[in-house]
Amino acid sequence: MLIIINALSGLVIVFLIGAYFVYIACRVFYEMDPDEAKYMRTERKPGTLDVHPSLNAIVLNYEIDVQILGAKENVIYGEKKNLKKIIELPMLNSRTDCYALAKEVVYQCDLIHHSRVSEVEQTIYYLKKRKLSHGSAKDSSSHDFKPTSNPDEPNYNNLSDYIELLYEGMSEKIKGAHLIQLLARDPENLDALSKNETVISALGRVLREDWKRSIVLSTHLVFTFFCFSMYSRFHEVILKCKVGSICMDIIDYELRRYDKWKADLEGVEAPDDVPIVRKPCPSSASMSEIPRSRIPEPVRPKSGNFSETNMKAVMEGSVYDDLTNSTESIDDKKLSETERAKRFRTLLKKQEHLLRVAFYLLLNIAEDESIEEKMTKRNIVGLLVKALERENEELLVLVVTFLKKLSIMQCNKDGMAGLGIVEKLPKLLESNSPDLVHLTLKLLFNLSFDTKLRYKIVKVGLLPRFIGLLSDDRHQEMILKLLYHLSYDDDVKTQFAECVGLITDMLLLNIGNEGDEVMVALCINLATDPINAQQMMKKNRVQSLMMRAFTYQDNMLMKMLRNLSEHKSSKVNFVEFVGDIAKAVVESKEDDFVVECVGILSNLNLPELDWAEIFKHFDMLKWVEKIIRSNNTDPELVLQVVVLLGTAAADEGCAGLLCESNIMNVLIDLLKTHQEDDEIVLQIIFVFFATISHGTKIDYLAEKTEAPAYLIDLLQDNNKSIRKLCNTCLNIIADHSKTWAERIRIEKFRHHNAQWLQMVDSQQLEPEEDEDEEDALPPYLNTEFLGTAVVPPLSDLTDTVPDSEFISQKELDFDYFDRPEMMPDLEIEAM
């Protein structure tokens, strides 16, 4: 419905206003120097709303203020006049939507503020009833009616009156602050309030000067600024008045005052009134220094940090008027114990409302990193940790949320650790509030990135509590992430023995869910402990895990099975799956999956396995040669294949099969290519050792391959394990081959006396050109010299190798040189 403003009335009003301005201008012109008048400023102040006595129209009363300004904007002359504006509603009838029409009136008339929509609606409703009752507007005689709003409800037009109350006594200040706070609760008023310098400066002044005098006054004022903090665009208003700094002073004061109240109630000596202090966070700390995996999820959107329920709780936190009647001290000897306890509860309720609003305001403005850093220097961490001692759940939810946000910074986390935060958190996990429990778990997760804090989490007995919460779907994902972090430490893994079976069953039932990846990573870590491994394999779980791994080609699940297969007591459980695993190795196209399958086979060094038959049945030798010779193969897969060959070579039949298929020469070529990779070199030498340890293939390795020459060369390698294994292999070869025995003895002599030989060699003259081939060696190493030199026998010479670098053949263990498995690097971000 369109609003039709009476054209004639409009013309008359325009004419009158124009004539009025001309009249004032003429008076100014004749009464003062024309050169002094530079500007004319007009201001319209809306007044009351009335109904027209005879028409279907709204009468708006307003005041116009005209001022003549000089060059420096000083007022030379001013005059005020009361005027009226008539808004006709000719289409008003019984079907009119009063609220919609009221909004349209407010939208089109700039003299009516949007906060007066309800007042306009009441006026229109009266006009509608009057028309229906009398049939015609001209029969109406109710021109004395004047709709009024609830006097307790704030009216934006009376803002100047509310500001004046802030300059009166304490009760008037509380009333004025309360009314302004109610205006600020309406988001549509915030923009106008933020541009009103008078109200902002008045609020800031009263908060700065009187915050210690009344908790209720402080609560109203802080709540008003809190309304501004809900939107980032108004944060400048808060920073300009330094409200954040005042809030921290308020929190520190109230926390210490709480300790005094409590001491007075219990009849003990109050603690020293010393502010909570802590070593400030280094100024060099910044968000850019945080690893990507530690960056938490966003704390809040533009307009707040909590759900609608929590926001409503803050907005409707208390009936402030009910709290103004009590004094702010319980140190009154005239009061009985019951009265003192009642007053303490009242004071505590008032204080917790103030703390909640103050912390919430600080949390909102802390979205700016520079502001958060300033808060850290002012010891916000110490204040928050101290507030954890309170019992109000809504306050604790806010405090834990703030701590969670701050905990991503290294200096804040260290500060929390120094204040014993872990010891304060177990009681929060016993809360009946799911939100508080979940936020506490998120905070613990952020803290669990620190090794020392992980130890404290276990020490205070939180691990059983975590296990108890696993069945709650609301917390399951966060619990799994926490348990994954705790499973880093070997000392803690044994404490999972009672629940590892439950976790494994959950994994089997959790196919395709989001938490699957974290759950598998947790099981991978736990599977490295032999006690946990035994529990995980009960109830025929290995078969179920194998079926799932093959069905989904899940390399992470296969890594878990690989860790299980490392334990001696577990190996036998995998014998029945050797054929399936070997088939997957040859046929699968997923390299990561194949790597884990090969790793499982490598762990099965069992005498009952016929590796020769396995290699023949699945034609694995061709696959092995293809993998080793390919230039595009993943180095990790190549390494695992070599480890598998070492395990298979322990079977004498398979060792002969490897020699017949020329795999040894392929390994020597691989040794040349990867001579800088100690892991691959060590595993290749182990294959040589496993092959010659049977005694039947020593001649093949010594006479038909270059293996002995490379073993001699590797005696001088920097890696201790490589030197040790090479020495053992050369001893075996020397015992069975006279051809190599002499050369091996010479090379060991050189190695043992390298420093002396270098000194002697530097004193020798250059050899003549016609020297024969035998004399090409220095005179002290030719055959004649060695025949007369005192060189200890081979058995004695090996004693020159330190005990730590020598292994006798009787002491050899085919598992001794197997590479330890690395845990998966699963990235889990901080919250």
Side-chain angles (χ1 to χ4, degrees):
M1 177 183 295
L2 298 177
I3 300 173
I4 303 176
I5 302 177
N6 187 283
L8 180 59
S9 300
L11 290 174
V12 171
I13 291 173
V14 172
F15 175 76
L16 289 175
I17 293 175
Y20 182 62
F21 287 164
V22 172
Y23 166 73
I24 292 175
C26 292
R27 286 185 60 182
V28 172
F29 179 78
Y30 286 107
E31 293 178 7
M32 64 182 66
D33 186 355
D35 293 334
E36 294 181 5
K38 297 294 183 180
Y39 311 101
M40 184 170 67
R41 180 171 63 190
T42 62
E43 182 178 355
R44 297 180 298 176
K45 183 177 180 181
T48 60
L49 289 174
D50 289 322
V51 294
H52 196 278
S54 58
L55 302 175
N56 289 331
I58 300 173
V59 179
L60 172 63
N61 300 293
Y62 66 97
E63 181 184 77
I64 185 167
D65 183 10
V66 181
Q67 296 177 337
I68 304 298
L69 306 179
K72 296 183 179 181
E73 296 191 3
N74 55 311
V75 178
I76 299 175
Y77 180 81
E79 191 169 339
K80 298 181 179 179
K81 191 173 183 66
N82 293 321
L83 298 174
K84 293 183 179 182
K85 183 173 183 177
I86 299 175
I87 305 172
E88 288 195 34
L89 307 170
M91 302 299 292
L92 187 66
N93 56 51
S94 60
R95 292 175 294 178
T96 300
D97 185 340
C98 297
Y99 178 73
L101 181 57
K103 289 183 65 177
E104 182 71 14
V105 170
V106 172
Y107 175 74
Q108 294 199 19
C109 184
D110 57 354
L111 286 173
I112 304 177
H113 192 264
H114 57 77
S115 63
R116 305 182 69 182
V117 172
S118 60
E119 189 177 352
V120 176
E121 182 183 5
Q122 290 179 22
T123 306
I124 295 174
Y125 179 72
Y126 173 79
L127 288 171
K128 180 179 175 181
K129 284 188 64 177
R130 187 181 70 176
K131 183 175 181 179
L132 294 175
S133 300
H134 299 283
S136 174
K138 65 182 180 179
D139 297 330
S140 175
S141 61
S142 59
H143 56 275
D144 293 332
F145 172 80
K146 179 180 178 181
T148 58
S149 58
N150 187 341
D152 294 332
E153 293 182 1
N155 190 322
Y156 191 86
N157 295 319
N158 300 329
L159 180 60
S160 58
D161 297 334
Y162 306 155
I163 296 174
E164 291 178 2
L165 292 174
L166 297 178
Y167 293 89
E168 304 295 335
M170 181 55 64
S171 59
E172 288 80 7
K173 286 182 179 179
I174 292 175
K175 181 179 178 181
H178 187 201
L179 291 169
I180 295 174
Q181 178 224 120
L182 294 176
L183 287 176
R185 285 190 178 191
D186 185 354
E188 295 182 352
N189 290 333
L190 291 178
D191 188 52
L193 288 172
S194 67
K195 295 176 181 178
N196 192 323
E197 293 290 340
T198 304
V199 67
I200 296 300
S201 60
L203 291 171
R205 178 190 61 79
V206 176
L207 179 63
R208 185 168 54 254
E209 296 176 358
D210 298 332
W211 65 266
K212 282 188 179 181
R213 297 180 59 190
S214 170
I215 290 182
V216 178
L217 177 62
S218 299
T219 304
H220 290 323
L221 294 172
V222 174
F223 201 111
T224 302
F225 286 106
F226 159 73
C227 294
F228 286 106
S229 73
M230 299 291 287
Y231 302 91
S232 300
R233 57 184 291 226
F234 297 126
H235 284 186
E236 187 62 33
V237 174
I238 300 171
L239 300 178
K240 183 178 180 181
C241 297
K242 298 183 178 180
V243 176
S245 178
I246 298 174
C247 283
M248 294 194 67
D249 291 336
I250 291 173
I251 293 170
D252 183 32
Y253 177 77
E254 294 298 337
L255 290 175
R256 288 185 284 114
R257 184 155 68 164
Y258 169 78
D259 292 337
K260 185 177 184 303
W261 289 344
K262 196 171 181 181
D264 291 340
L265 184 65
E266 296 173 354
V268 298
E269 185 178 355
D272 295 334
D273 190 26
V274 180
I276 306 166
V277 295
R278 179 180 66 81
K279 184 178 179 180
C281 182
S283 58
S284 59
S286 65
M287 291 292 287
S288 61
E289 298 175 1
I290 306 173
R292 292 293 299 174
S293 61
R294 296 279 302 276
I295 297 181
E297 62 191 17
V299 175
R300 64 180 180 87
K302 289 184 178 179
S303 59
N305 301 80
F306 294 98
S307 64
E308 294 182 2
T309 303
N310 289 333
M311 181 58 200
K312 184 178 180 182
V314 174
M315 286 296 198
E316 301 176 356
S318 66
V319 181
Y320 296 110
D321 294 339
D322 293 342
L323 302 176
T324 59
N325 296 326
S326 62
T327 59
E328 297 178 359
S329 173
I330 63 172
D331 189 13
D332 189 346
K333 297 181 179 179
K334 296 180 181 180
L335 298 176
S336 64
E337 291 296 325
T338 304
E339 291 173 334
R340 286 160 62 89
K342 182 178 180 181
R343 178 172 290 184
F344 175 73
R345 290 193 297 270
T346 303
L347 290 172
L348 187 61
K349 183 179 179 182
K350 292 165 57 178
Q351 190 184 70
E352 286 176 345
H353 289 315
L354 175 57
L355 290 175
R356 194 150 46 106
V357 176
F359 274 130
Y360 205 162
L361 183 148
L362 293 174
L363 177 60
N364 286 347
I365 65 175
E367 67 179 18
D368 186 326
E369 296 171 18
S370 61
I371 301 301
E372 181 182 317
E373 187 174 347
K374 291 179 181 178
M375 291 183 191
T376 302
K377 292 179 180 179
R378 288 285 306 274
N379 189 32
I380 186 63
V381 172
L383 298 176
L384 289 165
V385 173
K386 179 68 175 175
L388 287 174
E389 299 173 2
R390 310 304 281 263
E391 297 181 357
N392 184 288
E393 287 187 349
E394 294 176 349
L395 175 61
L396 289 173
V397 165
L398 186 59
V399 169
V400 174
T401 300
F402 208 158
L403 286 169
K404 177 177 70 69
K405 181 181 187 300
L406 295 174
S407 63
I408 65 174
M409 294 290 288
Q410 178 74 28
C411 57
N412 292 336
K413 183 263 298 176
D414 293 340
M416 294 176 196
L419 294 169
I421 188 172
V422 174
E423 290 80 0
K424 298 177 182 290
L425 295 178
K427 70 171 186 177
L428 303 185
L429 293 179
E430 304 298 330
S431 171
N432 294 325
S433 170
D435 292 335
L436 179 57
V437 172
H438 194 70
L439 286 168
T440 304
L441 292 174
K442 286 187 174 183
L443 173 58
L444 284 167
F445 172 71
N446 284 2
L447 297 175
S448 66
F449 282 91
D450 185 281
T451 304
K452 294 180 180 179
L453 290 179
R454 286 202 302 270
Y455 173 76
K456 284 188 177 181
I457 289 173
V458 176
K459 185 178 179 181
V460 298
L462 285 178
L463 184 57
R465 178 58 178 159
F466 294 159
I467 301 302
L469 291 171
L470 261 180
S471 58
D472 192 333
D473 293 338
R474 292 172 294 185
H475 311 308
Q476 187 179 102
E477 183 179 357
M478 188 53 55
I479 289 292
L480 288 173
K481 291 179 180 180
L482 262 168
L483 294 177
Y484 173 74
H485 276 189
L486 296 179
S487 68
Y488 287 168
D489 307 313
D490 292 337
D491 295 339
V492 180
K493 290 177 184 178
T494 55
Q495 300 185 34
F496 284 84
E498 296 182 1
C499 66
V500 69
L502 171 64
I503 297 174
T504 308
D505 290 335
M506 290 175 60
L507 174 63
L508 292 171
L509 296 173
N510 203 46
I511 299 176
N513 291 348
E514 293 180 359
D516 187 31
E517 186 178 13
V518 181
M519 200 177 299
V520 174
L522 170 62
C523 290
I524 288 173
N525 287 358
L526 297 180
T528 59
D529 182 78
I531 299 176
N532 289 335
Q534 287 296 320
Q535 296 296 324
M536 296 172 81
M537 290 188 296
K538 289 182 178 179
K539 299 181 181 180
N540 202 28
R541 292 191 183 102
V542 174
Q543 183 175 3
S544 300
L545 292 169
M546 277 289 182
M547 289 178 61
R548 177 178 173 182
F550 284 122
T551 302
Y552 294 96
Q553 294 282 292
D554 191 336
N555 62 291
M556 295 289 287
L557 194 54
M558 194 58 76
K559 181 181 285 290
M560 169 189 166
L561 290 165
R562 174 181 170 182
N563 285 353
L564 290 174
S565 67
E566 288 182 346
H567 309 291
K568 290 184 178 180
S569 59
S570 306
K571 296 179 187 293
V572 68
N573 294 290
F574 291 85
V575 172
E576 61 179 297
F577 304 108
V578 168
D580 296 326
I581 298 174
K583 183 179 180 181
V585 165
V586 177
E587 297 180 356
S588 179
K589 304 299 182 183
E590 298 290 335
D591 287 349
D592 292 337
F593 184 74
V594 171
V595 167
E596 305 305 333
C597 290
V598 173
I600 293 176
L601 294 178
S602 303
N603 291 334
L604 304 182
N605 51 343
L606 301 171
E608 58 265 32
L609 284 178
D610 187 350
W611 285 104
E613 183 61 30
I614 294 172
F615 270 63
K616 289 178 182 179
H617 183 78
F618 295 100
D619 199 13
M620 294 188 68
L621 288 176
K622 289 184 180 180
W623 178 84
V624 168
E625 186 173 354
K626 177 184 175 183
I627 293 296
I628 294 177
R629 290 188 180 277
S630 175
N631 295 326
N632 299 324
T633 305
D634 181 8
E636 180 67 18
L637 178 56
V638 173
L639 174 62
Q640 292 304 322
V641 168
V642 177
V643 174
L644 174 61
L645 292 176
T647 300
D651 178 22
E652 185 174 358
C654 191
L657 190 63
L658 295 179
C659 294
E660 295 171 3
S661 61
N662 198 36
I663 289 293
M664 293 301 171
N665 289 321
V666 175
L667 290 176
I668 292 173
D669 292 338
L670 182 64
L671 182 64
K672 297 176 184 177
T673 307
H674 294 81
Q675 55 185 343
E676 300 299 328
D677 190 331
D678 285 355
E679 266 191 306
I680 291 182
V681 170
L682 180 62
Q683 296 299 339
I684 291 174
I685 298 172
F686 185 80
V687 176
F688 296 158
F689 162 71
T691 303
I692 63 178
S693 62
H694 301 295
T696 57
K697 299 299 179 183
I698 297 177
D699 292 337
Y700 172 82
L701 198 68
E703 304 299 336
K704 297 186 179 181
T705 68
E706 301 175 352
Y710 282 99
L711 292 173
I712 291 173
D713 184 56
L714 290 171
L715 278 175
Q716 301 182 29
D717 195 89
N718 293 328
N719 189 292
K720 181 179 178 180
S721 298
I722 291 177
R723 295 198 306 269
K724 181 190 294 187
L725 190 54
C726 285
N727 185 72
T728 303
C729 291
L730 290 173
N731 286 343
I732 297 174
I733 293 174
D735 288 341
H736 291 77
S737 174
K738 295 182 180 180
T739 305
W740 280 101
E742 186 174 350
R743 182 172 177 182
I744 289 171
R745 194 166 75 172
I746 294 173
E747 292 299 335
K748 287 191 175 184
F749 178 84
R750 286 178 174 175
H751 177 62
H752 183 68
N753 300 283
Q755 188 174 0
W756 177 76
L757 293 176
Q758 184 178 5
M759 180 187 67
V760 174
D761 187 48
S762 64
Q763 298 177 2
Q764 300 301 315
L765 298 175
E766 294 183 1
E768 298 180 3
E769 295 181 359
D770 57 345
E771 285 182 342
D772 55 25
E773 185 176 346
E774 184 179 357
D775 291 334
L777 289 172
Y780 52 84
L781 286 182
N782 58 34
T783 306
E784 182 180 355
F785 178 81
L786 290 175
T788 58
V790 181
V791 180
L794 184 60
S795 59
D796 294 337
L797 189 59
T798 57
D799 292 336
T800 62
V801 180
D803 294 338
S804 59
E805 297 193 14
F806 179 75
I807 299 178
S808 65
Q809 190 170 356
K810 294 180 180 179
E811 297 172 346
L812 289 173
D813 183 354
F814 288 107
D815 289 337
Y816 186 83
F817 294 99
D818 281 355
R819 184 179 66 92
E821 288 300 326
M822 301 291 291
M823 291 298 100
D825 296 328
L826 179 65
E827 288 192 6
I828 302 181
E829 299 196 0
M831 308 305 298

